[in-house]
Amino acid sequence: MSNVVAAQERAKEAIKRQQDELTAQVHAMEIQLGPLEEQIATLGEGIWTMNLGLGPARP
């Protein structure tokens, strides 16, 4: 029984390490995503402004 418990503990520790690593990766990606979201918003405003000036699209 001791071997099983030890194996479970090792598995739990490995899972915890992987979770921590993935959490750190997600955090790093969120930091990189922030400026991109701002740029997308700015570009969207520019497109909206251009469409406003050009009027409705014609086929």
Side-chain angles (χ1 to χ4, degrees):
M1 190 70 168
S2 176
N3 290 339
V4 173
V5 173
Q8 287 176 336
E9 288 302 315
R10 286 192 304 271
K12 287 179 184 179
E13 290 170 4
I15 290 169
K16 176 71 170 121
R17 282 192 303 271
Q18 288 178 341
Q19 286 176 328
D20 292 344
E21 183 179 323
L22 290 173
T23 299
Q25 290 177 3
V26 167
H27 181 68
M29 290 177 180
E30 289 173 341
I31 290 171
Q32 292 175 343
L33 187 60
L36 294 175
E37 289 176 329
E38 291 175 14
Q39 186 177 12
I40 289 170
T42 300
L43 292 171
E45 290 173 8
I47 291 169
W48 181 84
T49 302
M50 288 177 63
N51 286 338
L52 184 65
L54 294 174
R58 295 191 176 95

